[in-house]
Amino acid sequence: MGGRGVLLTSNLPQLQNLIKRDPAAYKEEFLQQWNHYDSIRQIFQINPDEQAQHFRELVSFISQVAQCYPKETKDFPSHLSTLLLENYGTLTPDTRKTLVQNLVMLRNKDVITSIELLKSLFPLLPRTTSSNLRAFIRKTILSDIRTANLRTKNHKLNRAVQAMLFTMVERGMDAEVIGDKGKLRSAGPTSDKTANNGEDAMWAVILTKELWRKGIWTDAKPVSIVALGCFHPVMKVQSASIHFFLGSDDEKEDSDDEEDGGPDVRALHHRREVNKKRRGDDKKLQKQLNAAKKKKYNKNAPTTPNFPALQLLNDPQTFAEKLYDNLSRYDKRFSLEHKILIMQLLSRVMGAHKLCVLSFYTYIIKYLTYHQLRVPSILVALAQSVHDLTPPDALTPVVQKLAAEFVHPGVGSEVIAAGINSIRELCRRQPWAMGEDLLGDLVEYRRSRDKAVTAAARGLLQLYREVNPGMLKRRERGKDASIGMSKGDQPLPYGHSADAAVDIEGLMLLEDHLQKLREEETGSADDDGDDEAAAWEGWDVETNSDSESESEGWIDVDSEGDDNLEVSDSEDERELASKPPGETDPEIDSNPNRISTLATTKILTPADFALLNDLRIQAATKTIESGSGSRAKRKLAILEANKKAMQAGASDGAFISENDILGPRKKAKADYAERIASIEKGREGREKYGSLKGKKNKESPSSSTNREKARNKPIMMILSSGAVRGKKKASLREKQQKLRAHIERAKKSYH
């Protein structure tokens, strides 16, 4: 028995296996190892280099069997956490990795909770210098939170984790803003064993963004964490937080993605050629190539703004004012790239929530020059910050500045087109910012010889024909605008709201369509009860009634004298349903602009609006086929454009891009990368350059070489040639010289 005990104490894997089978029988052996671990742990805290390998083996052994002896090992997780957090700088990399892995193992065995594990792992992220360990910790945190929220939201865990992330971001908020420009540029992370506050906040923002991107957190709390990071004094944290709202998280320094840039396609093909051929290698190679292609496509895909995050901002007015205060106060410390990022976020918040930060327009005027770097991005930020509630008095100086700097004969056509497009996008959101004289001058550019300038001026002209034709000259208003003005149509002044909506345009088409479907389903509309049953189809309530009318799904209840109760919400529906299918209402035929009551009796869904748009397109098409003019064609084009916008998504047209500002341009000069890509594309499916003369595998026949011709000559011609006769008449000295020259050439060819 004594030999057995010695054998078990020296063979921990065997003892671990036996303990898992029968914990009670081997409790003494476990307690012996536990006491041994306790003594070595105290020695290890004093001198971490002494018996480090044996200490790691004991920690792994106890982690494996901790669930068998919960009472004896209740302090074991706290030992590991204390060692990691207090002595992290003195531990060896192998010991750190072992302690972290065993903590994760304890969580997987439900020895500790997720909160206890995350409290130990969060402080390690900014402190570790090993990329493998950092990737393992990050993956563990994300997978643990995702598993906890897999079926239902674990609000207790989410609140605890979000509180820790808030603390990590708030820890360095009171520091001075260093900036990223010139001598004030940040010095980066500290060189001591503890990470600086910027690293803590950076990791908090990274994890929050990752959990939001995976759809684990979708409420306002993670948005508040990242919104707080937008005002952090460290530029790296600010940039990562701003990119979250802008939707451009593809930069490696912001996302801090531990994965590589993807497999090398050429290396994969080369490895397949030189390695041993196996049956499944082709499938593996194709899978890797598909993954690389997908990653390349996702990298080049255009980014879209993070709309849900912008809508979930708490107190967006205060957030926008803080952004502008941060931008104006540290204008000398921020680089131009970072200032443009802040401008873009501020403008999108102002446009999405219709906020007014009037000082922003005064600030941005100094950047409105055609020679300014990144001026298209600045013009985009300016345009999307404007909305219908922006005061025109604040925008009039901006419009005049744009016209003075961008639209004059001293600049190129691209500059003029960009200036007019910027003014058009700005006035599309607030038409009263334009002066009548300036509008007349800008519209005259439609006669320019440059295509981009002409398109920009015509776009501005068409805009004011729709929103305020009174500002245009009589000959520039167009037919529809002139007719509307003759009828008394006037644009609403700034601050005035439109009258209450009476009806949805074209809703009668949808009502007639639904009525026709009901008649086809029921066969006839003579009986009011059948019509009501068809109208309530799909809304039946489960009942335990044993009556014969179970197919209807309703129970007959005594009305107790309420005989005059009307079930239908619309008298028109009842009158229409009481008529035979072939009979039509003369009022309906005579008054096509009647008001529909469908919106008061039915909740319209997005599918209903899509169907309504299709019906309006069909009606407009029939009108054009019957011989209507250009007005019906324009209406059909607008309806088709609306349908495409609905299919593309409501978020695509909310914010403008630089292409909307620059307009149609001539083909720009390609850079080096584009030229190389074009060259590589042209080489696909083509043989290498070179002469095919004298080659057997050439496509078309051609002449042979002189060597082939000499080989096929008759022998009598060769004997009488000058080369053969010269060899016969050569002296011994000439033959020796030729032989030595041949030997020298042979030596050079081999070496």
Side-chain angles (χ1 to χ4, degrees):
M1 189 69 181
R4 169 178 170 271
V6 173
L7 180 62
L8 289 178
T9 55
S10 61
N11 192 353
L12 292 179
Q14 182 182 1
L15 178 60
Q16 169 186 319
N17 187 22
L18 294 173
I19 288 176
K20 288 182 178 179
R21 293 182 179 182
D22 192 0
Y26 294 92
K27 187 173 182 179
E28 294 182 2
E29 285 81 357
F30 170 75
L31 292 177
Q32 182 179 358
Q33 296 295 332
W34 174 260
N35 294 330
H36 186 44
Y37 153 77
D38 202 12
S39 60
I40 290 183
R41 179 176 61 86
Q42 296 176 4
I43 298 174
F44 186 78
Q45 288 178 344
I46 300 174
N47 187 6
D49 296 333
E50 187 175 352
Q51 296 184 348
Q53 177 66 26
H54 188 48
F55 178 72
R56 290 195 293 268
E57 294 176 356
L58 282 173
V59 168
S60 301
F61 164 74
I62 296 174
S63 300
Q64 290 283 352
V65 299
Q67 59 182 354
C68 300
Y69 307 103
K71 185 177 180 180
E72 288 78 5
T73 60
K74 61 180 181 180
D75 296 331
F76 179 68
S78 62
H79 294 168
L80 301 185
S81 179
T82 303
L83 275 174
L84 279 172
L85 297 179
E86 295 182 0
N87 303 321
Y88 184 84
T90 58
L91 299 178
T92 60
D94 293 336
T95 305
R96 297 172 187 168
K97 185 177 180 181
T98 302
L99 294 179
V100 172
Q101 289 176 343
N102 285 284
L103 270 177
V104 176
M105 185 191 304
L106 293 176
R107 171 66 192 104
N108 294 335
K109 294 178 180 292
D110 287 332
V111 178
I112 59 176
T113 62
S114 295
I115 297 178
E116 293 175 354
L117 174 66
L118 297 177
K119 284 183 178 178
S120 302
L121 294 184
F122 270 122
L124 299 180
L125 268 176
R127 301 175 65 179
T128 181
T129 56
S130 171
S131 60
N132 294 330
L133 182 59
R134 186 165 57 243
F136 175 73
I137 294 174
R138 177 182 178 179
K139 183 179 179 181
T140 302
I141 292 174
L142 296 175
S143 61
D144 190 68
I145 298 175
R146 181 175 62 242
T147 305
N149 293 273
L150 195 58
R151 295 185 178 179
T152 57
K153 294 293 184 181
N154 191 340
H155 296 290
K156 182 179 179 181
L157 175 64
N158 292 339
R159 285 196 299 268
V161 174
Q162 288 163 0
M164 286 189 282
L165 295 176
F166 261 117
T167 305
M168 293 173 69
V169 177
E170 288 178 342
R171 201 169 293 158
M173 290 296 295
D174 55 350
E176 183 185 0
V177 176
I178 301 176
D180 59 346
K181 182 179 178 182
K183 298 179 180 179
L184 300 174
R185 184 172 299 174
S186 175
T190 55
S191 59
D192 57 354
K193 300 299 181 181
T194 61
N196 59 357
N197 295 329
E199 295 295 323
D200 290 341
M202 186 65 194
W203 275 108
V205 171
I206 289 172
L207 293 175
T208 305
K209 289 163 59 177
E210 193 71 18
L211 291 168
W212 175 276
R213 188 179 64 85
K214 294 180 180 295
I216 302 171
W217 287 351
T218 56
D219 54 351
K221 291 289 183 65
V223 177
S224 300
I225 296 174
V226 184
L228 184 63
C230 293
F231 309 108
H232 200 275
V234 178
M235 293 297 98
K236 190 177 180 182
V237 181
Q238 271 193 33
S239 179
S241 304
I242 293 173
H243 278 295
F244 168 73
F245 290 105
L246 297 180
S248 54
D249 281 333
D250 54 347
E251 297 182 10
K252 188 174 180 62
E253 61 269 17
D254 293 335
S255 62
D256 197 67
D257 192 1
E258 297 293 339
E259 300 178 358
D260 55 358
D264 188 0
V265 178
R266 297 179 64 182
L268 290 176
H269 284 291
H270 177 70
R271 197 178 300 122
R272 176 62 182 145
E273 292 293 330
V274 300
N275 287 354
K276 183 179 179 180
K277 305 298 185 292
R278 296 180 178 85
R279 183 177 299 175
D281 285 353
D282 290 334
K283 293 183 178 179
K284 291 180 181 178
L285 175 63
Q286 189 62 37
K287 189 176 181 180
Q288 291 174 331
L289 293 176
N290 292 338
K293 185 177 180 181
K294 184 178 180 181
K295 191 165 187 178
K296 182 179 179 181
Y297 174 78
N298 293 335
K299 183 178 180 182
N300 297 331
T303 57
T304 55
N306 198 342
F307 285 91
L310 289 175
Q311 297 297 331
L312 289 175
L313 279 172
N314 182 28
D315 194 1
Q317 179 68 39
T318 305
F319 179 78
E321 291 175 356
K322 284 184 178 180
L323 274 178
Y324 172 71
D325 183 60
N326 202 21
L327 178 64
S328 59
R329 180 182 299 178
Y330 303 108
D331 182 67
K332 300 297 183 182
R333 299 189 181 186
F334 291 160
S335 63
L336 179 63
E337 296 291 334
H338 193 73
K339 284 189 283 189
I340 290 176
L341 281 179
I342 298 178
M343 289 181 196
Q344 290 176 343
L345 178 57
L346 175 58
S347 63
R348 289 181 179 179
V349 173
M350 291 170 63
H353 294 275
K354 294 189 176 182
L355 308 177
C356 291
V357 184
L358 303 182
S359 303
F360 173 68
Y361 302 110
T362 307
Y363 171 83
I364 205 172
I365 279 183
K366 64 181 180 181
Y367 294 103
L368 300 182
T369 56
Y370 68 92
H371 53 75
Q372 171 67 46
L373 294 176
R374 298 287 309 276
V375 70
S377 301
I378 298 174
L379 294 175
V380 167
L382 170 64
Q384 64 193 7
S385 67
V386 181
H387 48 84
D388 54 351
L389 300 181
T390 306
D393 296 340
L395 297 176
T396 302
V398 178
V399 175
Q400 294 175 352
K401 174 76 172 180
L402 286 173
E405 289 287 339
F406 290 86
V407 188
H408 59 84
V411 295
S413 58
E414 292 184 355
V415 178
I416 297 176
I420 298 178
N421 286 328
S422 303
I423 295 174
R424 185 197 68 222
E425 293 296 334
L426 192 146
C427 294
R428 186 189 304 277
R429 292 156 173 78
Q430 181 50 269
W432 295 104
M434 173 71 73
E436 188 172 349
D437 296 336
L438 179 59
L439 178 61
D441 295 339
L442 295 177
V443 166
E444 291 297 327
Y445 276 91
R446 71 185 187 276
R447 297 185 176 89
S448 174
R449 295 183 178 181
D450 189 80
K451 182 179 179 180
V453 177
T454 303
R458 288 177 179 175
L460 183 63
L461 176 63
Q462 185 63 31
L463 171 66
Y464 272 89
R465 282 178 176 176
E466 297 173 359
V467 298
N468 194 357
M471 296 182 65
L472 297 170
K473 297 178 182 179
R474 184 181 297 272
R475 66 175 183 273
E476 296 169 350
R477 293 172 183 171
K479 181 179 178 181
D480 294 339
S482 300
I483 294 174
M485 291 186 65
S486 64
K487 292 181 180 179
D489 296 342
Q490 294 293 332
L492 290 174
Y494 170 72
H496 290 245
S497 60
D499 296 333
V502 178
D503 190 16
I504 300 175
E505 185 177 359
L507 191 60
M508 280 307 304
L509 297 173
L510 180 62
E511 184 175 358
D512 295 341
H513 178 74
L514 296 178
Q515 178 67 23
K516 184 178 179 181
L517 291 179
R518 284 199 297 267
E519 292 175 359
E520 291 177 355
E521 291 177 359
T522 57
S524 64
D526 295 331
D527 189 7
D528 293 344
D530 294 341
D531 183 63
E532 292 176 10
W536 285 103
E537 184 178 356
W539 293 87
D540 295 346
V541 180
E542 294 183 0
T543 177
N544 295 325
S545 173
D546 296 333
S547 62
E548 296 179 356
S549 61
E550 286 182 342
S551 61
E552 296 179 359
W554 293 95
I555 304 174
D556 294 334
V557 182
D558 187 11
S559 61
E560 297 181 358
D562 295 337
D563 297 332
N564 298 325
L565 181 64
E566 294 290 340
V567 177
S568 176
D569 291 336
S570 172
E571 294 291 338
D572 297 336
E573 288 187 0
R574 295 183 60 87
E575 294 174 3
L576 186 62
S578 63
K579 295 180 181 180
E583 184 178 348
T584 58
D585 194 344
E587 294 181 1
I588 294 178
D589 294 339
S590 61
N591 186 15
N593 296 325
R594 67 188 188 277
I595 298 175
S596 173
T597 59
L598 183 63
T600 62
T601 59
K602 185 181 186 303
I603 298 176
L604 299 178
T605 63
D608 293 331
F609 282 106
L611 178 60
L612 173 61
N613 198 43
D614 292 337
L615 293 174
R616 292 181 63 191
I617 290 176
Q618 294 176 6
T621 305
K622 292 180 180 179
T623 305
I624 293 174
E625 292 175 353
S626 63
S628 298
S630 59
R631 182 176 183 180
K633 294 181 181 179
R634 287 195 298 268
K635 184 177 181 181
L636 178 61
I638 293 173
L639 291 174
E640 291 178 347
N642 292 338
K643 182 179 180 180
K644 290 182 180 179
M646 291 174 63
Q647 292 176 351
S651 63
D652 292 344
F655 293 139
I656 62 176
S657 63
E658 293 187 10
N659 293 330
D660 298 328
I661 296 296
L662 297 177
R665 294 172 294 167
K666 297 179 181 178
K667 187 176 180 181
K669 184 179 180 181
D671 56 5
Y672 178 77
E674 293 177 351
R675 292 198 301 272
I676 294 298
S678 177
I679 292 171
E680 295 293 338
K681 185 178 180 181
R683 289 177 179 175
E684 294 178 358
R686 176 184 57 77
E687 296 183 1
K688 293 183 178 180
Y689 285 124
S691 175
L692 295 177
K693 190 175 182 181
K695 297 181 181 179
K696 293 182 180 180
N697 57 352
K698 55 187 176 182
E699 295 179 357
S700 58
S702 61
S703 178
S704 58
T705 60
N706 290 336
R707 182 172 294 182
E708 290 180 352
K709 292 176 180 178
R711 192 181 299 127
N712 297 327
K713 280 185 178 181
I715 186 64
M716 297 307 295
M717 292 180 63
I718 297 298
L719 292 176
S720 60
S721 65
V724 174
R725 285 188 283 112
K727 289 180 181 179
K728 290 180 180 180
K729 297 179 180 179
S731 63
L732 181 62
R733 177 67 177 168
E734 292 175 348
K735 291 180 179 178
Q736 288 178 346
Q737 290 178 349
K738 289 183 179 180
L739 180 61
R740 287 196 187 97
H742 171 71
I743 294 173
E744 292 295 331
R745 286 196 302 271
K747 288 181 180 179
K748 292 180 181 179
S749 63
Y750 283 112
H751 298 286

